């Protein structure tokens, strides 16, 4: 009979929080107070947000590992993303943890993305410590937020022992934690002590041979492919002969060339590793997330990491516009294909499929935000490509078409409740709850199809004058709720190649909103603005003023154009219709028609009208 024992020298914890609830700031303070940095050392804020995109947007995109030492115990910290679109990162990072810190804003309370990650943590029976953060806010309401946390645990079917969670209050920015919201702490020592007391050490069976579950992948120019994961049982040494068990179950032999463990933010080489520790090993080329690495003598697979299925698909292809190849270095279909398949190795929530043509690919993921981040990463790496509109993935059961349904939370001023409700109901949303505390703001809850939210966020911010908050999580699949118009405006489409001219653009301004500025390169089929009406029109933004040798009695009026809002990737993906594409290069984001020729589009429209009649 096997005897399972705890490794008291290690704690593995994940940090769960909604976007902007102070998770990365709290980790910074834990680093500083555990003695990771010397006295007076200059340290950046939000150390864990190492990607440029994470620093720019203030969110965590990729789960990352680090460690701190406290009272002789190594605490491995796993920083999880707070956005449901990066759920694949959450699932693989929780597979390495024995416990979690749930960080909740003292004013906003637990929000939908918190719910998504907490649900995963409770399903894995992780020990939870609740920390109510930002209790120094003027609008802090810690008592009500604590009630909301209990309601959330009950709603997620938490067990009785999980409901009896340890609780702390904190001001992450100042690096202090305390037992009550009223007192003023001095440091985070109480939190670090609680991690040692309340989070169990990793459990292992000393009689079992070495087993490690691969939860993440990395790459080193010197060591090649690196597998990152938690050691479930046994010990291993450098140069040991091991095998990798992939999804097929057929062992792939490998020779361990180097073992590394986390020491603060960096990895340090080690000769052996403890059961329960999170390690980085080199010596295997063909490894995937979810594989088991074990001994050659007794290969035994651990349960693979499973992730929720994708709900959104998008078409990626080569750039076929007349300006193709002028701004990017990586333009070939083969290069785009290799980059997309590389993403599937590092991100378990992304799937890539070949399309009917060799020059485009279908990419499936959790949401349009995840897709926008992938496209943004590719353009920064020098890729030039075209992408289509995000589309939801439908299912068919017993002849019924099903679509993904989201549970949407809206927090806005009472004055905007009417316009928000009207817009969402036209997109097939159903209100399920409304809470009005008499503070001037209301919280609304809706059951809404995922496709309704594609392109709605910008509209929502405009309708609520930038003061509204909108969050959602995937509820499951439901019956298709019927069609609705995603956009009530048409496009202003350039009818020739050239450069945009101020005179031409000035005369087009009454027609709608312009996206280009004088001097921008244009081509036939490029979308240069949004038409006020629901039809597309072909226009000439390169039109110049006719000059004669007649002098005017008065001076010409100066042409003053309305300032153009810079084009962002999220706006472009949300704006386009089914017959339009986004052209993405390292320097520009342009909108275009799928069929560039105005004559061909005119013929196709004629055929369609004839078929409808």
């Amino acid at each position: 009979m096997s005897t399972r024992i705890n490794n008291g020298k290690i704690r593995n914890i994940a940090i769960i929080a909604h976007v902007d609830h102070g998770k990365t700031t709290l980790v910074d303070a834990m680093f500083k107070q555990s003695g990771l940095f010397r006295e007076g050392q200059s340290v950046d804020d939000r150390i864990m947000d190492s990607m440029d995109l994470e620093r720019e947007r203030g969110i965590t995109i990729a789960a990352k590992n680090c460690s701190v030492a406290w009272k002789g115990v190594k605490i491995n910290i796993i920083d999880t993303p707070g956005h449901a679109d990066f759920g694949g990162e959450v699932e693989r990072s929780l597979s390495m943890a024995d416990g979690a810190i749930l960080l909740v804003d003292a004013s906003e309370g637990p929000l939908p993305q918190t719910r998504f990650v907490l649900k995963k943590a409770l399903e894995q029976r992780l020990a939870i410590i609740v920390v109510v953060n930002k209790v120094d806010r003027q609008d802090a309401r810690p008592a009500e937020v604590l009630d909301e946390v209990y309601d959330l645990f009950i709603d997620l079917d938490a067990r009785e022992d999980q409901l009896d969670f340890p609780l702390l209050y904190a001001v992450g920015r100042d690096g202090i934690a305390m037992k009550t919201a009223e007192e003023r702490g001095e440091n985070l020592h109480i939190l670090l002590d609680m991690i040692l007391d309340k989070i169990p050490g990793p459990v292992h069976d000393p009689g079992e041979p070495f087993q490690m579950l691969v939860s993440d992948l990395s790459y080193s120019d010197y060591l090649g492919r690196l597998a990152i994961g938690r050691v479930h049982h046994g010990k291993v040494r450098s140069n040991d002969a091991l095998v990798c068990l992939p999804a097929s179950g057929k062992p792939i032999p490998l020779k361990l060339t180097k073992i590394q463990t986390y020491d603060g933010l960096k990895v340090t080489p080690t000769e052996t590793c403890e059961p329960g520790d999170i390690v980085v090993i080199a010596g295997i080329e063909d490894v995937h997330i979810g594989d088991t690495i074990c001994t050659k003598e007794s290969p035994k697979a651990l349960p693979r990491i499973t992730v929720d299925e994708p709900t959104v698909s998008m078409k990626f292809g080569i750039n076929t516009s007349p300006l193709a190849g002028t701004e990017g270095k990586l333009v070939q279909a083969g290069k785009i294909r290799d980059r997309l398949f590389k993403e599937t190795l590092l991100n378990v929530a992304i799937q890539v499929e070949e399309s009917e043509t060799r020059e485009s690919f279908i990419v499936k993921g959790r949401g349009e935000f995840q897709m926008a981040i992938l496209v943004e990463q590719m353009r920064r790496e020098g890729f030039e490509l075209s992408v289509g509109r995000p589309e939801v993935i439908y299912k068919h059961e017993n002849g019924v078409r099903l679509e993904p349904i989201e549970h949407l939370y809206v927090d806005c001023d009472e004055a905007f409740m009417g316009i928000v409700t009207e817009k969402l109901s036209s997109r097939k949303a159903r209100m399920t709850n409304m809470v009005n505390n008499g503070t001037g703001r209301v919280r609304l809850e809706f059951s809404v199809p995922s496709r309704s939210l594609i392109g709605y966020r910008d509209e929502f911010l405009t309708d609520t004058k930038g003061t509204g908050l909108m969050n959602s999580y995937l509820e499951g699949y439901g019956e298709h709720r019927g069609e609705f118009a995603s956009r009530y405006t048409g496009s202003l489409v350039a009818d020739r190649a050239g450069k945009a001219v101020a005179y031409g653009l000035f005369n087009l301004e009454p027609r709608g909103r312009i996206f280009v500025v004088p001097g921008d390169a244009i081509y036939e089929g490029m979308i240069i603005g949004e038409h006020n009406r629901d039809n597309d029109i072909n226009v000439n933004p390169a039109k110049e003023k006719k000059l004669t040798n007649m002098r005017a009695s008065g001076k010409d009026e100066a042409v003053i154009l309305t300032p153009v809002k810079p084009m962002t990737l999220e706006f472009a993906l949300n704006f386009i219709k089914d017959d339009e594409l986004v052209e993405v290069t390292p320097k520009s984001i342009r909108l275009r028609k799928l069929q560039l020729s105005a004559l061909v589009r005119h013929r196709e429209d004629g055929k369609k009208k004839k078929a409808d009649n």
Side-chain angles (χ1 to χ4, degrees):
M1 184 178 167
S2 66
T3 54
R4 299 174 76 82
I5 58 172
N6 281 53
N7 184 353
K9 298 182 207 167
I10 295 172
R11 299 289 186 277
N12 296 323
I13 60 159
I15 300 198
I16 297 169
H18 186 85
V19 176
D20 203 31
H21 278 200
K23 165 166 50 80
T24 311
T25 309
L26 184 75
V27 175
D28 284 359
M30 289 170 76
F31 281 150
K32 289 166 186 169
Q33 294 186 27
S34 63
L36 186 64
F37 305 114
R38 68 174 189 274
E39 193 78 25
Q41 183 176 344
S42 172
V43 181
D44 289 339
D45 288 336
R46 293 177 28 233
I47 311 163
M48 290 290 277
D49 283 350
S50 53
M51 289 167 59
D52 289 343
L53 272 172
E54 291 179 322
R55 289 190 163 275
E56 286 168 23
R57 294 168 183 255
I59 59 169
T60 300
I61 293 170
K64 289 176 259 350
N65 300 32
C66 61
S67 75
V68 297
W70 186 249
K71 295 186 177 176
V73 176
K74 181 181 184 181
I75 303 173
N76 285 313
I77 300 171
I78 304 143
D79 191 14
T80 63
H83 201 288
D85 275 19
F86 306 107
E89 298 287 315
V90 171
E91 281 142 352
R92 67 175 179 73
S93 57
L94 290 182
S95 70
M96 297 185 270
D98 297 296
I101 294 175
L102 172 63
L103 200 64
V104 182
D105 188 293
S107 169
E108 294 179 4
L111 288 175
Q113 317 294 5
T114 315
R115 179 194 185 97
F116 171 80
V117 188
L118 180 62
K119 180 171 182 276
K120 301 286 180 192
L122 292 173
E123 284 171 359
Q124 294 194 24
R125 305 205 162 192
L126 301 185
I128 309 287
I129 295 173
V130 174
V131 178
V132 179
N133 194 26
K134 303 188 185 182
V135 290
D136 60 331
R137 282 181 62 158
Q138 286 186 340
D139 56 350
R141 44 186 194 94
E144 291 95 322
V145 165
L146 183 58
D147 287 342
E148 289 172 15
V149 172
Y150 276 115
D151 290 344
L152 177 59
F153 270 73
I154 293 164
D155 202 22
L156 293 175
D157 298 325
R159 303 190 321 274
E160 277 190 34
D161 58 315
Q162 290 174 324
L163 278 169
D164 188 22
F165 50 76
L167 172 70
L168 287 177
Y169 298 88
V171 182
R173 189 188 55 204
D174 298 342
I176 56 174
M178 43 266 175
K179 287 190 173 175
T180 64
E182 292 76 32
E183 66 181 280
R184 187 74 181 169
E186 294 178 5
N187 48 46
L188 288 174
H189 294 184
I190 187 173
L191 173 60
L192 292 164
D193 288 338
M194 189 175 276
I195 290 170
L196 302 194
D197 293 341
K198 302 294 184 184
I199 304 292
V203 176
H204 66 99
D205 187 341
E208 287 281 337
F210 175 75
Q211 276 182 307
M212 169 186 153
L213 183 67
V214 179
S215 301
D216 198 2
L217 298 174
S218 187
Y219 186 82
S220 162
D221 291 336
Y222 304 104
L223 301 169
R225 180 71 64 82
L226 302 173
I228 303 166
R230 172 177 161 171
V231 178
H232 280 252
H233 305 289
K235 293 187 178 184
V236 71
R237 292 185 175 278
S238 295
N239 298 319
D240 278 5
L242 301 173
V243 292
C244 172
L245 295 176
S248 64
K250 188 179 178 183
I252 301 167
L254 68 115
K255 189 170 184 183
L256 198 58
T257 56
K258 195 166 190 179
I259 310 171
Q260 296 170 299
T261 59
Y262 286 94
D263 180 13
L265 287 164
K266 55 185 191 297
V267 288
T268 54
T270 180
E271 280 303 308
T272 184
C273 57
E274 296 272 336
D277 203 357
I278 294 171
V279 297
V280 183
I281 66 172
I284 178 169
E285 282 306 308
D286 191 16
V287 62
H288 297 86
I289 290 170
D291 291 354
T292 301
I293 294 173
C294 51
T295 59
K296 201 173 181 179
E297 294 74 33
S298 51
K300 194 189 288 185
L302 292 162
R304 291 186 74 83
I305 297 169
T306 56
V307 298
D308 291 345
E309 57 196 16
T311 56
V312 170
S313 72
M314 210 160 94
K315 190 174 252 188
F316 283 57
I318 61 169
N319 185 11
T320 55
S321 87
L323 300 177
T326 56
E327 295 176 355
K329 288 183 274 183
L330 304 165
V331 297
Q332 305 92 332
K335 299 267 188 194
I336 294 170
R337 181 187 183 280
D338 292 346
R339 174 63 181 85
L340 291 174
F341 278 99
K342 181 185 169 191
E343 187 68 23
T344 63
L345 297 177
L346 302 173
N347 189 340
V348 284
I350 292 271
Q351 295 176 13
V352 178
E353 296 173 5
E354 308 273 0
S355 71
E356 61 278 2
T357 67
R358 294 180 61 188
E359 295 179 339
S360 62
F361 312 92
I362 306 295
V363 180
K364 296 180 178 179
R366 290 288 180 83
E368 74 270 24
F369 185 49
Q370 184 190 26
M371 297 293 189
I373 292 293
L374 174 57
V375 175
E376 183 64 40
Q377 286 172 332
M378 289 179 70
R379 74 182 283 235
R380 290 184 183 205
E381 292 164 18
F383 282 90
E384 201 172 288
L385 65 155
S386 63
V387 292
R389 178 177 168 80
E391 297 174 356
V392 298
I393 298 169
Y394 295 106
K395 282 183 180 177
H396 290 85
E397 284 181 13
N398 304 322
V400 178
R401 184 155 73 145
L402 305 178
E403 65 174 337
I405 304 291
E406 310 248 345
H407 192 108
L408 175 70
Y409 292 79
V410 170
D411 191 318
C412 66
D413 286 342
E414 217 171 319
F416 305 127
M417 189 173 79
I419 184 73
V420 169
T421 308
E422 183 188 333
K423 288 271 180 82
L424 283 169
S425 60
S426 71
R427 290 169 173 258
K428 307 294 181 184
R430 297 169 186 162
M431 188 186 287
T432 57
N433 192 19
M434 184 181 85
V435 180
N436 189 342
N437 295 320
T439 58
R441 286 183 77 84
V442 290
R443 178 172 279 194
L444 311 171
E445 292 180 40
F446 296 88
S447 167
V448 57
S450 295
R451 62 196 162 100
S452 305
L453 299 180
I454 296 174
Y456 176 64
R457 194 171 296 274
D458 285 344
E459 212 175 307
F460 170 76
L461 288 172
T462 305
D463 291 341
T464 60
K465 295 186 168 54
T467 62
L469 295 170
M470 186 173 94
N471 292 287
S472 65
Y473 68 90
L474 185 68
E475 210 171 42
Y477 273 76
E479 200 169 323
H480 187 261
R481 294 190 183 174
E483 300 301 328
F484 59 87
S486 61
R487 202 173 106 201
Y488 295 97
T489 57
S491 300
L492 300 175
V493 187
D495 64 359
R496 69 198 69 196
K499 287 202 171 177
V501 175
Y503 179 78
L505 294 177
F506 181 73
N507 287 302
L508 288 175
E509 280 193 347
R511 297 278 192 176
R513 180 164 56 138
I514 306 297
F515 298 151
V516 296
V517 294
D520 281 357
I522 55 169
Y523 53 83
E524 184 183 6
M526 179 174 159
I527 297 167
I528 60 101
E530 180 181 16
H531 190 202
N532 289 332
R533 300 188 178 180
D534 61 358
N535 62 312
D536 297 341
I537 56 168
N538 295 315
V539 296
N540 179 13
K543 184 179 180 184
E544 295 179 343
K545 186 175 183 181
K546 293 281 187 291
L547 298 177
T548 68
N549 59 359
M550 299 290 290
R551 287 180 178 272
S553 57
K555 65 177 182 184
D556 288 341
E557 286 181 17
V559 172
I560 300 171
L561 297 173
T562 306
V564 172
K565 192 177 171 187
M567 179 68 68
T568 64
L569 196 53
E570 281 95 333
F571 171 78
L573 291 174
N574 292 338
F575 177 81
I576 57 172
K577 292 191 280 194
D578 293 337
D579 65 335
E580 296 168 351
L581 295 173
V582 181
E583 178 190 346
V584 181
T585 76
K587 294 180 183 174
S588 312
I589 296 169
R590 303 183 187 95
L591 306 179
R592 52 162 286 190
K593 284 289 180 183
L594 185 62
Q595 175 54 254
L596 293 177
S597 168
L599 185 63
V600 174
R601 287 200 311 274
H602 181 68
R603 282 179 187 154
E604 286 176 353
D605 288 343
K607 286 177 188 172
K608 199 187 265 184
K609 281 176 186 171
K610 207 176 271 183
D612 290 343
N613 293 333

